[in-house]
Amino acid sequence: MIKKVLLFALFNLTALFATAQQFMLSGRVTDFAGNPVPFTSVYVKGTSQGTASNANGIYRIQLKSGKYQLNFRTIGFTQQTEAIEIAGNNLSHNVSLHVENYALGDKSATADDIIKQAITQRESHLTELKAYRCNVYIKGVQKLLHAPGNLFSVAVSHELQVDTGQNNILYMSESESGFSFKQPGKTKEVMISSKIVGSNNAFNFNRVAALQVNFYQNLFDVEGINPRGFVSPIADNAPDYYRYKLLGCATENGKLIYKIQVIPIREHDPVFTGNIYIVSGDWRIYAAHLFVTQNAGLNFVDTLNINQQYISLTGDTWQPASVSFTYSGNVLGFKYSGYILGVYSNYELAPNFPPRFFNGENIRITQQSLSRDSVYWAQNRPVPLTPDERRNYHRQDSIAKKHNSPAYLDSLERANNKFSPIGYVFSGDSIAHRANKTALVFPPLYRTVYFNTVEGLVLYPTVDYTKKLDSGKQYTITPKLRYGFSDRQFNANIGFSYSYNPHQRGIVYGRFGSDVFDLNSEGSSSLFINTLGTLFFWNKVLKLYRSNFARLGLQRNVARGLLLDGSLEYARRNAMQNTTYFKLLDSKDKEFTSNNPLKPNLPDTTLLFTPNNALTLRLSATYTFDEEYTSTPDGIVYDTNKYPKIKLSYRKGIHTLLGSNVDYDYADVQVFQSHIKLGLFGYSSFVVKAGKFFNSDALIYPDYKQFKGNEGITFDPAIGSFHFLPYYTYSNTAFFEAHYEHDFSGFLFNKIPGLRTLKLEEIAGTNYLAQQSQPGYSEFYIGIQRYFFRLDYGLAYTGNNRVNQGFAFYYGF
């Protein structure tokens, strides 16, 4: 009896195990000529369980024992349904697809009418699904097709460690993520696994949010490819940019599908070319095969193809099944191509998200997700590797194993730590120690040797010592020395910062010693630019003072989006005067001004202020509305904010305590935001600020509110800076300032033949300053920029009187 019971139990357990066990269904998808059909969607009919074929048409999917109907579908071919039975073992099943046959049928339907219906239903399809959760697999590959055979290319290849062999894989990445969405626009991604090898020299989507190809949006934005985005073929204003041609119709899954050719009216607009497939009656997108070229103002790539397919989840609910990008480009003679494939599966509709699930964390990357081994990937990779990709992984893993060996890392460390005189002059130097996680960073020579008329020739050596600790924590110690050969003053100070909570931006910081500071607390000309101006143009700008000080501060996030910062400083401050009038090239009609910005033409014996003590308390609170961020093993990376930030600042000069000679209360509020996207018109940035001294009983010049001005031929392009305002314009009462700048991102120049090839960005902006009992000061400027160079022309007015005009430029190196 016992034996029968045991046998019965064993039989049932075996049957249960066989039912639960997953088996591998694999095969090759080809056309009828035997050519592989890459990136074919393979889905179990009636579900969102699926995968896609690789670049060679090979697919695989894990299924339990049973009978299945599998849909094989891709752009350019008729969907094919295959009956499959898994009977307790792995199965191989190849599929040959028929070329799609879209024939002109009902002649009463026109392309314009169909697109009009799709545009009418666009917004409802955009918002019809209130929430969902799914799994997303992303794979990216980039190959080098050709390298020029000159010495420059050899040097570049060596520097980037690029193998210039034909069709060599430069870059590969794979990631698996759980992705959650909730209207309106709330997303959260938890990365399950990620593997990256090589160097990406174009663009890449390694996160799901960046791969959200949604043509129901009026503008389709590809980060890094075009700053203005591209007009969707069914955008509200799409008929202003496209012509449409009906190529035919066909029936799939009981639905009548229209195939419509999308034709740009103007080839240099940010628009697509290709075909879009629309479902009759629902007027939703069934699939899209669209591409853009250099005519649309692409960056980094010459051609970008986008294929997207939707599947029906339940009745009228459709979601993306897969999306693929294929691209090619040419940079400095290096020709390359690549693809990015995204596969969406296992949709869960109307999920029950816990409270505060969407808390601003857009993506979470754990150390475990970055440490998956080859065994894990072999078992869980939904899209199989091609032979080239397998060889590349094997090669890169071997290289990585060698490069991670102690012997190699030690030799690399010794090589990198060797002193390079030329490198030190232009880019500085560094010494890193891998074992104890420390680094010494020295600034370049041109930031170490200066000249000004107060100190003469100045040696200003400094170094940053950083020690990394566990969990992203670290501390930095920065000693500074300063000696002026003309005033013969030696200054030394040391600073520190300790990041004790990188996930909440918790930092303790401080500095004490002596140094020489700019009288403009907002910053005037850089020490390097001031050196050039003093020696070559007799245009001495910086006004300096000396301070012996001690400062201690603390900052930390106390709630989502709210960052608090506070510091206390005690300083003994002394005015300074010119000690040299050396000119590299003499000029009789130009003379230096004094170090007193209030009396620049008087002798230097007229000091700006007498020696004084100052005990100063500084507090600030910065709030970012709907702040979003990415969590990494080393801390938090804050994303570009969609909404403005607001910052409240308070500064108190504390009287009598520790002999302090200052007594004032100052507060300001500023609202600011950068990179506000305005679609095809580019993006804007602004800063609005207002402040006041509520008490100014004992106020000394270094405590005045200063403004970030400019007097040279170079300028700081940061929003909040003036182009022509004198450096030492200050306020000791109430003020209001506003800055606005718009970058058209090629909107205008792209319409002008010849200019469009330069890919210049047009800029226009204005700055305004109002102070109590003074006429308003305003600036208006236009400019152009490309990469790290910018040239502006502007006009400045005090009231209605023009007080300045001219060109200024910026270089970002």
Side-chain angles (χ1 to χ4, degrees):
M1 181 65 181
I2 295 177
K3 287 184 178 180
K4 290 182 179 181
V5 172
L6 291 174
L7 288 173
F8 179 78
L10 181 61
F11 173 80
N12 282 279
L13 285 172
T14 304
L16 181 63
F17 178 76
T19 303
Q21 188 177 1
Q22 299 265 341
F23 298 95
M24 186 67 70
L25 171 66
S26 60
R28 189 166 185 251
V29 184
T30 63
D31 61 17
F32 271 84
N35 301 309
V37 181
F39 312 140
T40 300
S41 295
V42 183
Y43 276 81
V44 177
K45 187 175 181 179
T47 76
S48 60
Q49 181 184 4
T51 184
S53 65
N54 67 14
N56 291 346
I58 305 298
Y59 76 93
R60 70 179 188 183
I61 183 172
Q62 291 188 0
L63 299 170
K64 299 176 183 178
S65 293
K67 295 181 179 181
Y68 297 91
Q69 297 286 319
L70 259 65
N71 288 335
F72 292 79
R73 180 178 153 207
T74 190
I75 300 289
F77 294 86
T78 300
Q79 176 178 297
Q80 191 160 317
T81 302
E82 298 282 310
I84 303 293
E85 182 176 3
I86 304 295
N89 57 281
N90 297 332
L91 180 66
S92 178
H93 185 83
N94 297 328
V95 176
S96 296
L97 300 181
H98 294 270
V99 175
E100 67 182 12
N101 182 21
Y102 278 76
L104 290 172
D106 183 6
K107 296 185 179 180
S108 63
T110 67
D112 289 340
D113 290 339
I114 296 167
I115 291 296
K116 183 178 179 180
Q117 292 286 358
I119 293 174
T120 302
Q121 297 298 318
R122 178 193 66 80
E123 190 168 355
S124 64
H125 293 323
L126 179 64
T127 59
E128 65 185 358
L129 192 56
K130 303 306 178 185
Y132 67 85
R133 181 186 284 126
C134 68
N135 295 329
V136 184
Y137 168 78
I138 303 174
K139 180 180 180 180
V141 176
Q142 185 181 135
K143 288 185 176 182
L144 180 67
L145 303 179
H146 171 76
N150 51 44
L151 292 177
F152 175 75
S153 69
V154 173
V156 171
S157 302
H158 177 73
E159 181 67 22
L160 298 179
Q161 296 183 335
V162 171
D163 183 353
T164 57
Q166 189 174 9
N167 290 326
N168 176 59
I169 294 178
L170 300 175
Y171 173 87
M172 282 181 61
S173 71
E174 293 181 280
S175 67
E176 297 176 292
S177 296
F179 184 73
S180 301
F181 172 85
K182 182 179 180 181
Q183 296 283 10
K186 300 290 186 182
T187 65
K188 187 164 189 173
E189 176 182 354
V190 179
M191 189 168 285
I192 301 168
S193 58
S194 176
K195 183 179 179 68
I196 299 175
V197 296
S199 176
N200 180 26
N201 299 298
F203 70 102
N204 180 57
F205 296 104
N206 201 33
R207 52 190 296 177
V208 179
L211 200 67
Q212 291 294 286
V213 178
N214 195 335
F215 292 110
Y216 292 120
Q217 300 277 6
N218 282 320
L219 281 178
F220 172 68
D221 190 14
V222 185
E223 185 177 352
I225 294 298
N226 181 297
R228 296 187 290 135
F230 304 93
V231 179
S232 168
I234 60 168
D236 292 338
N237 60 343
D240 296 333
Y241 292 88
Y242 296 102
R243 291 185 295 108
Y244 304 96
K245 181 180 179 181
L246 179 61
L247 299 180
C249 58
T251 300
E252 291 195 10
N253 295 325
K255 298 280 188 179
L256 182 63
I257 312 296
Y258 293 107
K259 180 180 180 180
I260 297 174
Q261 184 179 3
V262 177
I263 307 166
I265 295 176
R266 296 169 296 274
E267 63 177 1
H268 292 287
D269 281 344
V271 291
F272 296 97
T273 300
N275 301 318
I276 189 169
Y277 299 75
I278 303 294
V279 180
S280 177
D282 294 339
W283 311 113
R284 65 174 71 249
I285 299 172
Y286 182 72
H289 176 206
L290 300 168
F291 65 91
V292 288
T293 67
Q294 280 285 9
N295 289 335
L298 294 176
N299 293 322
F300 303 112
V301 298
D302 299 328
T303 304
L304 176 67
N305 292 274
I306 304 174
N307 287 338
Q308 186 185 35
Q309 300 180 63
Y310 284 77
I311 57 172
S312 175
L313 300 179
T314 58
D316 295 332
T317 302
W318 293 61
Q319 281 295 107
S322 66
V323 59
S324 65
F325 291 75
T326 57
Y327 60 89
S328 61
N330 186 337
V331 176
L332 301 175
F334 290 87
K335 296 180 181 180
Y336 56 87
S337 67
Y339 73 83
I340 299 166
L341 172 66
V343 179
Y344 299 77
S345 62
N346 301 322
Y347 279 97
E348 179 187 351
L349 304 184
N352 184 21
F353 295 119
R356 300 183 60 81
F357 179 77
F358 296 99
N359 59 355
E361 184 185 48
N362 281 334
I363 180 170
R364 184 189 307 157
I365 304 172
T366 64
Q367 187 61 49
Q368 184 182 24
S369 68
L370 303 176
S371 304
R372 304 290 192 183
D373 59 19
S374 57
V375 175
Y376 172 88
W377 281 104
Q379 295 174 346
N380 294 276
R381 178 181 290 116
V383 177
L385 299 176
T386 67
D388 282 348
E389 292 164 359
R390 281 196 300 270
R391 283 192 294 269
N392 182 66
Y393 265 155
H394 178 74
R395 172 176 172 269
Q396 293 291 347
D397 287 344
S398 299
I399 293 174
K401 185 177 181 180
K402 175 185 175 182
H403 286 185
N404 288 326
S405 66
Y408 180 86
L409 292 174
D410 289 342
S411 64
L412 183 64
E413 185 175 284
R414 287 192 297 270
N416 290 337
N417 289 343
K418 287 183 178 179
F419 178 72
S420 170
I422 296 178
Y424 171 63
V425 170
F426 296 102
S427 60
D429 203 355
S430 63
I431 300 174
H433 293 284
R434 171 181 52 86
N436 53 15
K437 299 181 180 179
T438 62
L440 288 170
V441 179
F442 302 89
L445 182 62
Y446 76 89
R447 289 172 49 193
T448 304
V449 180
Y450 302 109
F451 182 86
N452 61 66
T453 55
V454 174
E455 303 170 279
L457 180 65
V458 180
L459 293 183
Y460 198 16
T462 181
V463 62
D464 287 342
Y465 171 82
T466 300
K467 168 74 172 180
K468 292 185 177 181
L469 307 172
D470 295 334
S471 304
K473 298 178 182 179
Q474 68 175 37
Y475 65 83
T476 300
I477 299 175
T478 308
K480 294 182 178 181
L481 303 176
R482 184 166 183 156
Y483 181 74
F485 284 86
S486 181
D487 71 340
R488 299 181 181 179
Q489 293 262 18
F490 177 78
N491 295 281
N493 62 82
I494 187 167
F496 74 92
S497 67
Y498 171 51
S499 176
Y500 67 92
N501 189 336
H503 287 83
Q504 295 298 334
R505 288 191 281 192
I507 300 175
V508 178
Y509 59 91
R511 182 169 289 277
F512 63 90
S514 64
D515 208 341
V516 175
F517 294 101
D518 190 346
L519 282 166
N520 185 340
S521 58
E522 295 290 327
S524 303
S525 172
S526 71
L527 294 174
F528 176 69
I529 292 297
N530 183 73
T531 298
L532 297 180
T534 304
L535 292 176
F536 294 98
F537 303 104
W538 312 279
N539 184 22
K540 192 263 181 181
V541 172
L542 286 182
K543 314 294 183 182
L544 307 172
Y545 74 99
R546 188 170 186 264
S547 177
N548 293 275
F549 65 95
R551 182 190 312 127
L552 185 65
L554 173 68
Q555 77 162 37
R556 193 183 190 278
N557 270 0
V558 295
R560 179 187 173 188
L562 181 58
L563 177 67
L564 299 185
D565 193 331
S567 67
L568 186 67
E569 176 183 277
Y570 180 78
R572 174 68 175 177
R573 303 179 298 191
N574 292 273
M576 302 180 75
Q577 61 189 42
N578 290 342
T579 61
T580 179
Y581 297 95
F582 173 78
K583 300 176 182 178
L584 196 62
L585 298 174
D586 196 11
S587 176
K588 296 180 180 179
D589 59 340
K590 293 184 179 181
E591 297 295 337
F592 291 118
T593 58
S594 76
N595 193 52
N596 185 338
L598 301 181
K599 300 177 179 180
N601 297 318
L602 292 180
D604 272 299
T605 54
T606 307
L607 295 178
L608 179 60
F609 56 82
T610 59
N612 62 88
N613 301 322
L615 181 62
T616 307
L617 173 68
R618 292 179 174 87
L619 301 172
S620 70
T622 305
Y623 183 71
T624 303
F625 294 91
D626 200 24
E627 185 175 59
E628 298 179 341
Y629 59 91
T630 296
S631 296
T632 73
D634 292 329
I636 285 178
V637 178
Y638 289 89
D639 299 336
T640 301
N641 53 301
K642 300 177 183 177
Y643 304 102
K645 293 185 178 184
I646 184 170
K647 183 176 182 179
L648 300 174
S649 300
Y650 171 73
R651 180 158 48 95
K652 169 68 174 176
I654 304 173
H655 189 53
T656 67
L657 188 63
L658 299 177
S660 177
N661 304 120
V662 296
D663 185 5
Y664 65 87
D665 292 272
Y666 166 84
D668 66 46
V669 56
Q670 62 175 313
V671 181
F672 57 100
Q673 187 178 4
S674 61
H675 215 92
I676 307 168
K677 291 185 178 181
L678 298 178
L680 297 180
F681 297 98
Y683 62 89
S684 293
S685 304
F686 76 89
V687 174
V688 177
K689 189 173 184 178
K692 182 180 180 180
F693 282 90
F694 296 92
N695 159 38
S696 56
D697 290 346
L699 193 63
I700 301 171
Y701 189 90
D703 305 312
Y704 291 166
K705 163 58 187 172
Q706 299 279 347
F707 302 97
K708 195 167 182 61
N710 185 68
E711 296 181 45
I713 59 173
T714 64
F715 74 100
D716 183 352
I719 188 72
S721 301
F722 291 91
H723 277 48
F724 301 104
L725 185 72
Y727 281 122
Y728 297 95
T729 301
Y730 66 91
S731 174
N732 58 3
T733 54
F735 74 92
F736 170 81
E737 65 175 309
H739 308 264
Y740 175 80
E741 182 175 287
H742 183 75
D743 188 328
F744 289 91
S745 302
F747 176 77
L748 302 174
F749 287 164
N750 196 54
K751 303 181 186 329
I752 304 174
L755 276 180
R756 68 168 63 101
T757 59
L758 300 177
K759 297 184 180 179
L760 298 173
E761 299 177 30
E762 324 89 325
I763 294 168
T766 182
N767 302 310
Y768 178 75
L769 174 63
Q771 298 185 72
Q772 191 172 338
S773 304
Q774 295 187 33
Y777 172 85
S778 55
E779 297 177 349
F780 305 92
Y781 61 91
I782 57 175
I784 56 174
Q785 75 173 10
R786 178 67 170 162
Y787 296 131
F788 51 79
F789 180 82
R790 174 169 161 179
L791 177 66
D792 282 14
Y793 177 79
L795 302 168
Y797 295 84
T798 297
N800 294 323
N801 300 319
R802 189 170 66 190
V803 294
N804 209 338
Q805 67 180 32
F807 288 94
F809 73 94
Y810 164 77
Y811 58 92
F813 54 88

